[in-house]
C-alpha cells in the first residue's frame, strides 16, 4: 500500500480529533445529569441551573455554552419535547395586500387555489393559476379589483400580470421572513435549553423544535398567534417613584424576607441620574456598608439604567412579573395611570442579560392607541447626522392617530414605545405633533438594530397568520426509553457482528472488528463536529452501518481467499484483493448505489428521516475508509512479520468452495413464483389497501398509556361517537395498557383553539379508563417522569400530507432511475441495468404486498409513512448492492477467457463464486436488523421489519431474478461471440 505512513498519520489525527469532539458530549451529558439531580423534577429550576453555568468555564477553558454547542444534539424522539411545522398563511397575506378586496373573481381564485393546490406546489403559484382560470383575462392583477390600492404603492395600473407576480413573490417572502424573526424572538424568551427554528426552503413553512418543553397548550399559543405590533405612550419614571416605594413596602410584609445581599451597582451609570426612582435605587450603594439592610423584594435585584428606568437581570423578570400582577400591588398605582400595563425592553448584544421595565399608559378598552396595521412601509435609513435610523409611513387613518399620539407625547414630555408581542423595541420622544404619517425614528442605533426594528415594523404591516400544519409531541420518559432501546440494540448488534467476523474469518475478523470500532468513533465524531442531530431512526442507521461496515472487508477477504486457492502468495493475494481488478471495483459500484439512494432520502425526507439519511451517508464514507485502510495496516504487518493469514478458520475454510448450483436452470420456477407474488400483491393493493399513516393522509395520532389494561374496541367505540370525534381508531401499541389512537377530527381546521378542543375531548373520553384520577394537565403535558397519559402525539395537516406523499413518490422513482443510469454508465450495457431494475421493482412490490396483506393481523403497526419510505429506499440501496456484487463477477468472468462452456455455464460459475460474499453480507445485515426488530422499541418496529424483509428478498432477487433477466435480455449475437472467445 503506497503512502502508508501518510494514511496512518491522518487516521491517528482524525481519530484523536473525533475523540476530542466527542468529549464535549460526555461533559454536556454529565452537566445535564447533575442539573436533573439538583432540580429533582422542577424543570424551571433545572433550566436556571444550566443558565447559571452558561458563561462559566466547565471544560478545558470552554464555557458550558460552548460545550453545549459542540455536543451531539439529540432529536426530540430521544430528548422529549415539542416539534411543530408552521405554515404562514399566504392566503391571508394576499388578502391584506389586496386591501381585503370584495371582488368575487378575486375571492373565488383564493378559494380555488386552496382547493386545487397540488402536492409540493406553493400556494402563491396555485393562486396565479387559479386567478388566470377564474378571471379569464377579464381583470388584471394590477386592477383595483385585485392589488391596485393606496396601501400597496408598488403596484401601478399599467403593470402586466407577470410584473405583479414578481412583486407579490417579494412581498410574500418578506412576510415569511418577518414571521420567522418574530417566532425566533418569541422562542428565545420561552425558556428551553436548545431551541431550533429554521425556514424550510421557500415553502413558507417554519420548523420549530423545543426540546424539553412540556406545556403543550402554552407552546401552541405562543408560536401560532399573529404578531401584535402596538404603539403606546409611556409613563415617566418620576411619576412612579411613590408607587415603587409603596409596592416595595407592601411586598416586604407579604413576601418571605430576602437574604441580605450586597447590591452590585455601576456608579458611573447613576452619577447623573435625577429621577426619584434612581434616587431610591441609589440608596443601594449604602447597602454595601450595611449588609444587614433589607432592600425589599422589588429593589434587592434592581439595577439603575441611564434612561432613569429600573432594570433587572432577565432571570429575575418572572418573579417581578408575579409581584406586579398582584391586585393589591396594582391598587397602589396613581389614579391617573391606574390602567397602565408593564412591559420589558428588548435586550441588546452589549447587555444580553439586562432588560428595562417600562410602564405603558393604559387605555379604557385596553387597546393600544395605534396598532401596527396602520403602517404601509418601513425601511432602514440615516438621519441628518448620518446615524442609523428607521423611516416609517402610516396610512391616512393611522397618520391622524399618530399625529394625536405624538402631540400628547410632546406636551407631556414622555415617550412613544414601539411594542411587539409585549416587548418594547424602541422608545422615542417627539418635540411636536407629527403630521402626514411620515416619521423617522433615530437614536443611538447600530445598523443591526435598525434592521431589527425595520423587521419588527414590517411584521406589523403584513400580519401573517401561522397555522400549525404538523406537530409531534414526545414525552421525556418515552425519549429515555428510545435511548435505552437504541443503546441495547446497538451493543447486541455490535457483539453479534464482531463474533461472526471472528468465527468466520479468524484473525482477519479481529482486524475488521478494530476497523468497525474506529468507524463508529469517526461516525459519532463527524456528527458532533458538523452539528447533526441524532434521532431514533438515526440510531437505526448507525446499527445498519455496523452491518455494512464489514461489507467491504467481506468482499476483500473473499477475494483474497480465492487468490490464495489459485496459488498466489499471501502478499500477492492481498495486493490483488485490494486492487481495482480485485475487490475495489465491486466495492465502489456497490457504495455509489448506496450514496445515491442515501442522497435521495436526504433530499426528499424530512425531520427524523433526514437523521437516518445523514447517519447512513456518513457511515458509508467512514466505513470505506476504515475497511480499506485500517484493516490493511494489520494485514500488512502480518505479511511483514511472516505470519500466516488464511482469512478463514478451520471450521469455515471450505464453506461454499466447490459449490455448483444451476441458478439459471430453475429460472422458470423463480419467474413463476415472483410473478404469483406480484399478482397477489397487486390484488391486495386494490382490495386490502394499506394502513396509511397520517403522514400520507393527514390526521392526528396519540400514543396513550393507561394505568390498567384497556380494550381498544371499547375506546374506539366511545371516541367514534358524535360527542367526541365521530370517527376514531384505537389499536394496542406494544403493551396491553397502551393504545395508539388516530382520528381525522377537525384536521381541515387550523388554530390553537381547535387543537385544545381535540385535547380536551380526548381527555374527557379517556379519563374514565384510568384506575386513578388524572388531571387534564397530567394527561396532556409532558412532565418529567411521566408514565401515564399522552406520551406522544402527532398532527399532520392535509396540505403537508400531500407534499409528503408527493415527495415519497419522487424519492422512490428518483432513486431507481439514478441507480439504473449509474449501472448503464458503469457496465456499459443496458441489460445489466435492466436486470437490476427488475430485481429492485420485484423487491419493492414484494415488501408492499406483505404490508398490504398482513397489516391487519400483525401484532405491531405496519403503517405506510415516511419511515416506511425510508425503509424502501434502504432496501433499494441494499438490493442494488447485492446485485452489483453478482454483476461485477459476471462481468469479470464474461470479460476474461479462463472459463469455458456455454454462456449460461459461465454466468452460473460466476454467480456460484459470489455466494460466500453475498450470503455473508446479507447475514450480517439480517443479524443487526433482527436485533433492532426485537430490542429497538415499538415505534420503529414496522420500519425495521420492512428493511428486514427487503434485505432477505433482495438477496433472493439478486440471484434468481436479476441474473436470469440479464441472461434472457442479452442479444444472441453477444452470447455467441462470448462463447467463441471462451472456447477457442
Amino acid at each position: 500500500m503506497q503512502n502508508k505512513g501518510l494514511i496512518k498519520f491522518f487516521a491517528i489525527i482524525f481519530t484523536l480529533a473525533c475523540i476530542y469532539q466527542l468529549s464535549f458530549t460526555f461533559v454536556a451529558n454529565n452537566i445535564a445529569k447533575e442539573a436533573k439531580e439538583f432540580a429533582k423534577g422542577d424543570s424551571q429550576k433545572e433550566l436556571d441551573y444550566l443558565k447559571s453555568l452558561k458563561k462559566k468555564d466547565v471544560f478545558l477553558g470552554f464555557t458550558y455554552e460552548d460545550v453545549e454547542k459542540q455536543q451531539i444534539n439529540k432529536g426530540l424522539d430521544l430528548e422529549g419535547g415539542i416539534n411543530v411545522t408552521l405554515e404562514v398563511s399566504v392566503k391571508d397575506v394576499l388578502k391584506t395586500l389586496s386591501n381585503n378586496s370584495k371582488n368575487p373573481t378575486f375571492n373565488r381564485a383564493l378559494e380555488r387555489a386552496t382547493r386545487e393546490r397540488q402536492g409540493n406546489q406553493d400556494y402563491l403559484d396555485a393562486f396565479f393559476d387559479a386567478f388566470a382560470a377564474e378571471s379569464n383575462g377579464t381583470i388584471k392583477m394590477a386592477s383595483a379589483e385585485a392589488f391596485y390600492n393606496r396601501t400597496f404603492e408598488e403596484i401601478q395600473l399599467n403593470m402586466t400580470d407577470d410584473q405583479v407576480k414578481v412583486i407579490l413573490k417579494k412581498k410574500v417572502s418578506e412576510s415569511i421572513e418577518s414571521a420567522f424573526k418574530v417566532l425566533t424572538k418569541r422562542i428565545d424568551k420561552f425558556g428551553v435549553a436548545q431551541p431550533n427554528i429554521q425556514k424550510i426552503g421557500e415553502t413558507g413553512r417554519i420548523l420549530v423544535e423545543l426540546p424539553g418543553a412540556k406545556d403543550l397548550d402554552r407552546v401552541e399559543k405562543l408560536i401560532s398567534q399573529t404578531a401584535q405590533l402596538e404603539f403606546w405612550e409611556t409613563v415617566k419614571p418620576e411619576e412612579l417613584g411613590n408607587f415603587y416605594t409603596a409596592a416595595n413596602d407592601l411586598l416586604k410584609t407579604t413576601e418571605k424576607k430576602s437574604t441580605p445581599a450586597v447590591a452590585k451597582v455601576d456608579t458611573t451609570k447613576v452619577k447623573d441620574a435625577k429621577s426619584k426612582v434612581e434616587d431610591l435605587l441609589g440608596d443601594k450603594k449604602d447597602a454595601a456598608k450595611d449588609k444587614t439592610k433589607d432592600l425589599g423584594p422589588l429593589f434587592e435585584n434592581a439595577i439603575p439604567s441611564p434612561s432613569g428606568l429600573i432594570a433587572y437581570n432577565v432571570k429575575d423578570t418572572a418573579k417581578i412579573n408575579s409581584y406586579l400582577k398582584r391586585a393589591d400591588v396594582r391598587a397602589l398605582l396613581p389614579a391617573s395611570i391606574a390602567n397602565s400595563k408593564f412591559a420589558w425592553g428588548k435586550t441588546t448584544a452589549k447587555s444580553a442579560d439586562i432588560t428595562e421595565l417600562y410602564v405603558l399608559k393604559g387605555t379604557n378598552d385596553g387597546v393600544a392607541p395605534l396598532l401596527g396595521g396602520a403602517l404601509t412601509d418601513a425601511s432602514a435609513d440615516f438621519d441628518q447626522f448620518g446615524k442609523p435610523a428607521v423611516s416609517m409611513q402610516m396610512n391616512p387613518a393611522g397618520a391622524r392617530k399618530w399625529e394625536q399620539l405624538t402631540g400628547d407625547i410632546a406636551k407631556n414630555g414622555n415617550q412613544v414605545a414601539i411594542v411587539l408581542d409585549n416587548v418594547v423595541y424602541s422608545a422615542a420622544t417627539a418635540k411636536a405633533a407629527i403630521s402626514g404619517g411620515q416619521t423617522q425614528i433615530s437614536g443611538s442605533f447600530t445598523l443591526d438594530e435598525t434592521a431589527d426594528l425595520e423587521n419588527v415594523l414590517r411584521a406589523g404591516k403584513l400580519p401573517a397568520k401561522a397555522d400549525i400544519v404538523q406537530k409531534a409531541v414526545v414525552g421525556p420518559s418515552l425519549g429515555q426509553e428510545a435511548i435505552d432501546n437504541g443503546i441495547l440494540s446497538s451493543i447486541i448488534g455490535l457483539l453479534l457482528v464482531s463474533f461472526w467476523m471472528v468465527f468466520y474469518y479468524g484473525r482477519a475478523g479481529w482486524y475488521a472488528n478494530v476497523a468497525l470500532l474506529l468507524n463508529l468513533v469517526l461516525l459519532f465524531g463527524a456528527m458532533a463536529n458538523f452539528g447533526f442531530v441524532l434521532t431514533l431512526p438515526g440510531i437505526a442507521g448507525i446499527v445498519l452501518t455496523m452491518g455494512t461496515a464489514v461489507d467491504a472487508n467481506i468482499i476483500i477477504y473473499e477475494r483474497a481467499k480465492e487468490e490464495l486457492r489459485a496459488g498466489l502468495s499471501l502478499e500477492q493475494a492481498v495486493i490483488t484483493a485490494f486492487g481495482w481488478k480485485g475487490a475495489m471495483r465491486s466495492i465502489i459500484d456497490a457504495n455509489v448505489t448506496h450514496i445515491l439512494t442515501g442522497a435521495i432520502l436526504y433530499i426528499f425526507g424530512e425531520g427524523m428521516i433526514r437523521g437516518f439519511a445523514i447517519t447512513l451517508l456518513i457511515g458509508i464514507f467512514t466505513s470505506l475508509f476504515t475497511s480499506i485502510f485500517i484493516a490493511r495496516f494489520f494485514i500488512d504487518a502480518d505479511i511483514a512479520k511472516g505470519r500466516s493469514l488464511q482469512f478463514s478458520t478451520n471450521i469455515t475454510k471450505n464453506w461454499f468452495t466447490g459449490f455448483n448450483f444451476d441458478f439459471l436452470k430453475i429460472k422458470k420456477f423463480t419467474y413463476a413464483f415472483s410473478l404469483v407474488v406480484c399478482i397477489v400483491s397487486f390484488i391486495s393493493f386494490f382490495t386490502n389497501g394499506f394502513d396509511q399513516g397520517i403522514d400520507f393522509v393527514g390526521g392526528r395520532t396519540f400514543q396513550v398509556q393507561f394505568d390498567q389494561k384497556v380494550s381498544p374496541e371499547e375506546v374506539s367505540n366511545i371516541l367514534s361517537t358524535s360527542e367526541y370525534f365521530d370517527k376514531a381508531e384505537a389499536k394496542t401499541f406494544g403493551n396491553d395498557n397502551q393504545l395508539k389512537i388516530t382520528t381525522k377530527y377537525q384536521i381541515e381546521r387550523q388554530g390553537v383553539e381547535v387543537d385544545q378542543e381535540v385535547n380536551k375531548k380526548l381527555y374527557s373520553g379517556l379519563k374514565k379508563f384510568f384506575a386513578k384520577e388524572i388531571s387534564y394537565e397530567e394527561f396532556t403535558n409532558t412532565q418529567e417522569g411521566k408514565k401515564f397519559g399522552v406520551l406522544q402525539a402527532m398532527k399532520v395537516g392535509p396540505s403537508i400530507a400531500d407534499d409528503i406523499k408527493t415527495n415519497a413518490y419522487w424519492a422512490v422513482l428518483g432513486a431507481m432511475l439514478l441507480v439504473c443510469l449509474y449501472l448503464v454508465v458503469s457496465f456499459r450495457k443496458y441489460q445489466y441495468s435492466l436486470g437490476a431494475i427488475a430485481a429492485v421493482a420485484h423487491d419493492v412490490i414484494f415488501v408492499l404486498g406483505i404490508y398490504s396483506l398482513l397489516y391487519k393481523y400483525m401484532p405491531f403497526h405496519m403503517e405506510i409513512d415516511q419511515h416506511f419510505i425510508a425503509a424502501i429506499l434502504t432496501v433499494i440501496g441494499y438490493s442494488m448492492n447485492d446485485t452489483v456484487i453478482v454483476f461485477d463477477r459476471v462481468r469479470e468472468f464474461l470479460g476474461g477467457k479462463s472459463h469455458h462452456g456455454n454462456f449460461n455455464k459461465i454466468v452460473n460459475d460466476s454467480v456460484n463464486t459470489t455466494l460466500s460474499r453475498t450470503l455473508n453480507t446479507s447475514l450480517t445485515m439480517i443479524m443487526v436488523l433482527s436485533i433492532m426488530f426485537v430490542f429497538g422499541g415499538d415505534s420503529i418496529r414496522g420500519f425495521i421489519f420492512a428493511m428486514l424483509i427487503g434485505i432477505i428478498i433482495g438477496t433472493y432477487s439478486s440471484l434468481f431474478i436479476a441474473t436470469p433477466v440479464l441472461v434472457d435480455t442479452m442479444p444472441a449475437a453477444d452470447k455467441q461471440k462470448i462463447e467463441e472467445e471462451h472456447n477457442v
Side-chain angles (χ1 to χ4, degrees):
M1 181 169 60
Q2 296 179 344
N3 300 318
K4 186 187 299 184
L6 186 62
I7 293 171
K8 189 180 293 185
F9 170 77
F10 279 117
I12 293 171
I13 291 297
F14 288 153
T15 303
L16 291 175
C18 288
I19 292 173
Y20 168 75
Q21 190 67 49
L22 289 173
S23 64
F24 290 98
T25 300
F26 290 114
V27 172
N29 286 342
N30 285 334
I31 292 173
K33 185 179 179 182
E34 290 171 4
K36 285 185 183 295
E37 292 173 353
F38 170 79
K40 292 182 170 61
D42 187 333
S43 58
Q44 187 58 48
K45 194 174 180 181
E46 179 184 338
L47 189 62
D48 290 342
Y49 179 91
L50 294 175
K51 281 184 176 181
S52 69
L53 296 176
K54 285 282 186 183
K55 303 298 182 183
K56 292 183 179 179
D57 291 348
V58 294
F59 179 63
L60 300 178
F62 290 95
T63 64
Y64 175 64
E65 188 173 28
D66 298 327
V67 169
E68 194 179 33
K69 288 177 181 176
Q70 297 189 63
Q71 69 171 324
I72 295 179
N73 295 319
K74 295 190 287 289
L76 293 190
D77 54 343
L78 299 179
E79 184 78 8
I82 298 169
N83 170 314
V84 299
T85 300
L86 298 112
E87 186 171 61
V88 175
S89 177
V90 177
K91 179 180 180 180
D92 287 351
V93 174
L94 293 176
K95 282 184 176 179
T96 301
L97 292 173
S98 72
N99 202 20
N100 292 310
S101 171
K102 305 298 182 186
N103 181 269
T105 301
F106 176 81
N107 284 287
R108 282 200 308 271
L110 288 175
E111 295 306 319
R112 182 168 180 169
T114 303
R115 187 173 61 251
E116 298 182 1
R117 178 183 175 191
Q118 302 297 313
N120 275 353
Q121 185 183 28
D122 289 342
Y123 181 90
L124 194 56
D125 291 331
F127 169 76
F128 293 155
D129 294 341
F131 186 85
E134 289 291 336
S135 66
N136 198 23
T138 56
I139 62 171
K140 294 171 57 182
M141 287 188 178
S143 66
E145 290 84 357
F147 296 106
Y148 177 73
N149 57 73
R150 287 187 298 173
T151 63
F152 196 2
E153 296 177 351
E154 289 92 332
I155 302 295
Q156 302 298 321
L157 274 173
N158 59 351
M159 284 184 171
T160 64
D161 280 358
D162 287 340
Q163 289 174 317
V164 174
K165 287 177 183 179
V166 173
I167 296 172
L168 290 177
K169 285 184 177 180
K170 178 186 174 186
K171 291 298 178 184
V172 168
S173 178
E174 286 178 359
S175 178
I176 294 167
E177 182 65 27
S178 295
F180 176 74
K181 289 183 180 296
V182 169
L183 282 169
T184 302
K185 298 292 185 185
R186 289 178 184 174
I187 289 163
D188 284 344
K189 293 181 178 295
F190 187 73
V192 295
Q194 287 181 294
N196 173 40
I197 175 169
Q198 54 184 288
K199 289 188 292 183
I200 303 175
E202 299 299 321
T203 61
R205 292 178 183 146
I206 299 169
L207 172 68
V208 178
E209 291 183 321
L210 301 174
K214 298 172 177 61
D215 189 338
L216 177 61
D217 290 344
R218 179 181 166 223
V219 169
E220 289 195 18
K221 183 178 180 182
L222 172 86
I223 62 180
S224 62
Q225 65 187 16
T226 305
Q228 296 295 322
L229 178 66
E230 303 165 328
F231 297 86
W232 291 88
E233 186 178 351
T234 66
V235 177
K236 290 185 289 187
E238 51 265 34
E239 296 181 60
L240 296 162
N242 291 332
F243 163 72
Y244 285 134
T245 302
N248 193 51
D249 290 340
L250 172 65
L251 292 169
K252 282 183 182 181
T253 64
T254 61
E255 296 296 309
K256 184 178 179 181
K257 184 175 171 58
S258 304
T259 303
V262 177
K264 296 180 180 179
V265 181
D266 184 352
T267 55
T268 61
K269 288 186 176 181
V270 297
K271 186 168 66 173
D272 298 323
K274 297 179 181 179
S275 73
K276 190 167 183 179
V277 173
E278 287 182 317
D279 290 339
L280 288 167
L281 295 178
D283 290 341
K284 294 172 74 178
K285 291 183 288 184
D286 297 329
K289 299 176 183 178
D290 182 4
K291 295 185 179 182
T292 62
K293 183 173 181 179
D294 180 12
L295 297 175
L298 208 56
F299 291 149
E300 66 174 347
N301 293 315
I303 304 167
S305 74
S307 62
L309 300 173
I310 301 180
Y312 290 90
N313 193 294
V314 172
K315 67 181 178 61
D316 295 322
T317 55
K319 181 170 64 174
I320 300 301
N321 283 340
S322 68
Y323 296 154
L324 298 176
K325 286 178 181 177
R326 283 174 42 169
D328 55 348
V329 171
R330 288 194 61 87
L332 300 173
L333 284 166
S336 59
I337 55 172
N339 293 328
S340 294
K341 56 184 288 186
F342 297 92
W344 295 101
K346 175 180 174 289
T347 57
T348 64
K350 292 181 180 178
S351 57
D353 297 327
I354 306 300
T355 177
E356 294 179 313
L357 179 62
Y358 287 84
V359 182
L360 310 178
K361 188 173 290 187
T363 56
N364 292 331
D365 57 4
V367 178
L370 182 61
L371 299 176
L375 262 73
T376 59
D377 195 17
S379 60
D381 203 350
F382 293 92
D383 64 14
Q384 58 183 334
F385 303 108
K387 294 182 178 180
V390 175
S391 293
M392 59 182 184
Q393 178 66 49
M394 307 278 184
N395 61 28
R400 290 192 294 272
K401 291 182 179 178
W402 182 247
E403 184 175 3
Q404 181 181 346
L405 179 61
T406 51
D408 291 341
I409 288 166
K411 181 174 64 177
N412 298 330
N414 51 0
Q415 296 175 310
V416 59
I418 299 173
V419 183
L420 181 71
D421 288 342
N422 210 38
V423 175
V424 178
Y425 276 76
S426 177
T429 58
K431 295 178 180 178
I434 301 172
S435 59
Q438 177 71 43
T439 306
Q440 187 181 74
I441 304 171
S442 60
S444 55
F445 294 132
T446 65
L447 288 173
D448 288 341
E449 287 170 340
T450 56
D452 285 347
L453 186 55
E454 176 191 2
N455 282 319
V456 166
L457 294 170
R458 283 181 175 274
K461 178 195 166 191
L462 283 174
K465 181 183 175 186
D467 292 325
I468 297 176
V469 294
Q470 188 174 20
K471 176 179 66 179
V473 182
V474 181
S477 57
L478 201 61
Q480 188 58 50
E481 180 184 335
I483 292 174
D484 295 341
N485 290 336
I487 291 174
L488 179 62
S489 59
S490 299
I491 291 173
I492 296 175
L494 178 61
L495 290 175
L496 267 179
V497 171
S498 300
F499 170 77
W500 178 257
M501 292 301 291
V502 173
F503 168 76
Y504 199 90
Y505 293 107
R507 191 164 69 249
W510 283 111
Y511 301 157
N513 290 340
V514 172
L516 173 59
L517 286 173
L518 180 60
N519 173 49
L520 293 176
V521 172
L522 294 177
L523 195 158
F524 280 110
M527 290 191 70
N529 188 60
F530 293 108
F532 296 132
V533 177
L534 182 63
T535 62
L536 185 56
I539 290 178
I542 290 168
V543 177
L544 272 175
T545 297
M546 286 189 275
T548 57
V550 295
D551 180 30
N553 288 119
I554 290 172
I555 296 172
I556 292 168
Y557 290 175
E558 290 299 326
R559 186 56 184 246
K561 281 199 294 188
E562 290 176 13
E563 301 302 333
L564 287 173
R565 292 192 198 105
L568 293 184
S569 67
L570 176 59
E571 183 176 4
Q572 290 173 323
V574 169
I575 292 172
T576 302
F578 277 91
W580 180 254
K581 292 184 178 179
M584 279 309 110
R585 190 169 189 173
S586 297
I587 290 170
I588 296 303
D589 280 338
N591 280 281
V592 167
T593 58
H594 275 173
I595 292 168
L596 290 174
T597 52
I600 290 289
L601 192 57
Y602 181 80
I603 291 168
F604 289 99
E606 293 182 6
M608 292 181 231
I609 302 306
R610 280 196 165 188
F612 175 74
I614 286 169
T615 53
L616 209 59
L617 287 169
I618 296 174
I620 290 169
F621 290 105
T622 56
S623 298
L624 280 173
F625 175 76
T626 55
S627 299
I628 295 171
F629 295 112
I630 302 305
R632 179 77 181 270
F633 289 143
F634 296 102
I635 294 171
D636 285 349
D638 279 354
I639 294 171
K641 293 177 181 179
R643 291 176 185 162
S644 174
L645 189 65
Q646 297 300 317
F647 299 99
S648 61
T649 64
N650 291 331
I651 299 174
T652 62
K653 64 181 180 180
N654 292 319
W655 287 14
F656 299 105
T657 57
F659 193 82
N660 188 21
F661 183 80
D662 195 341
F663 291 93
L664 297 177
K665 187 176 181 180
I666 63 167
K667 66 180 182 181
K668 290 182 180 179
F669 298 102
T670 57
Y671 279 164
F673 169 74
S674 295
L675 183 61
V676 168
V677 169
C678 290
I679 291 172
V680 171
S681 295
F682 276 110
I683 292 172
S684 183
F685 296 164
F686 292 103
T687 56
N688 241 7
F690 297 98
D691 182 14
Q692 293 192 66
I694 63 170
D695 286 3
F696 283 2
V697 295
R700 305 171 193 269
T701 182
F702 303 89
Q703 184 179 332
V704 183
Q705 184 147 311
F706 299 83
D707 54 2
Q708 61 182 350
K709 183 179 177 179
V710 289
S711 165
E713 292 79 14
E714 188 177 353
V715 170
S716 293
N717 291 337
I718 287 177
L719 294 181
S720 296
T721 60
S722 57
E723 184 182 354
Y724 296 107
F725 300 141
D726 293 324
K727 185 177 181 181
E729 183 180 46
K731 295 180 181 178
T732 301
F733 189 78
N735 303 323
D736 56 11
N737 66 334
Q738 188 170 253
L739 297 181
K740 190 171 187 179
I741 299 167
T742 305
T743 179
K744 289 187 179 181
Y745 179 75
Q746 298 283 28
I747 197 62
E748 297 285 349
R749 289 179 57 204
Q750 305 294 344
V752 177
E753 299 77 13
V754 177
D755 290 343
Q756 288 179 355
E757 177 193 345
V758 172
N759 289 339
K760 287 175 180 176
K761 283 196 172 190
L762 183 70
Y763 167 69
S764 177
L766 297 182
K767 62 182 179 180
K768 63 183 175 183
F769 291 97
F770 289 87
K772 294 182 180 179
E773 187 175 346
I774 185 171
S775 68
Y776 172 75
E777 289 73 21
E778 291 171 329
F779 178 80
T780 307
N781 296 339
T782 58
Q783 61 268 20
E784 200 72 40
K786 179 175 181 176
K787 293 182 179 179
F788 305 115
V790 178
L791 300 183
Q792 187 172 12
M794 284 189 67
K795 166 191 168 182
V796 180
S799 63
I800 201 167
D802 287 342
D803 290 355
I804 290 171
K805 189 181 288 188
T806 302
N807 281 342
Y809 292 146
W810 282 113
V812 174
L813 293 175
M816 295 174 71
L817 179 62
L818 268 179
V819 172
C820 285
L821 288 175
Y822 174 76
L823 292 180
V824 170
V825 172
S826 179
F827 287 86
R828 299 180 184 178
K829 279 186 178 292
Y830 75 88
Q831 288 85 1
Y832 288 97
S833 184
L834 198 61
I837 201 66
V840 168
H842 164 273
D843 299 343
V844 171
I845 293 169
F846 200 105
V847 176
L848 284 169
I850 287 178
Y851 267 62
S852 177
L853 287 165
L854 301 180
Y855 76 85
K856 295 178 181 177
Y857 311 105
M858 286 297 218
F860 55 89
H861 287 267
M862 299 176 70
E863 291 182 348
I864 306 297
D865 55 12
Q866 286 191 84
H867 290 90
F868 178 82
I869 296 303
I872 287 293
L873 287 173
T874 308
V875 167
I876 290 173
Y878 287 105
S879 178
M880 286 291 185
N881 186 336
D882 283 341
T883 303
V884 164
I885 289 173
V886 174
F887 280 2
D888 266 322
R889 182 52 63 92
V890 171
R891 175 173 57 183
E892 180 185 340
F893 272 42
L894 294 178
K897 298 180 181 180
S898 58
H899 302 276
H900 304 289
N902 61 27
F903 183 85
N904 284 11
K905 182 180 183 303
I906 297 170
V907 172
N908 258 322
D909 289 346
S910 63
V911 174
N912 276 286
T913 61
T914 66
L915 279 183
S916 184
R917 291 186 295 176
T918 301
L919 296 180
N920 257 319
T921 299
S922 298
L923 184 61
T924 54
M925 289 294 305
I926 290 168
M927 279 195 298
V928 295
L929 285 170
S930 299
I931 294 302
M932 283 295 291
F933 180 76
V934 174
F935 298 103
D938 297 316
S939 59
I940 61 169
R941 192 156 283 145
F943 165 59
I944 296 298
F945 183 72
M947 284 195 284
L948 186 58
I949 296 300
I951 297 302
I952 294 171
I953 200 64
T955 305
Y956 159 82
S957 66
S958 298
L959 299 172
F960 296 101
I961 301 297
T963 306
V965 168
L966 167 65
V967 171
D968 290 343
T969 55
M970 189 71 73
D974 287 358
K975 292 181 182 179
Q976 183 178 350
K977 183 180 178 181
I978 289 170
E979 289 175 355
E980 290 173 355
E981 291 175 349
H982 283 254
N983 294 289
V984 176

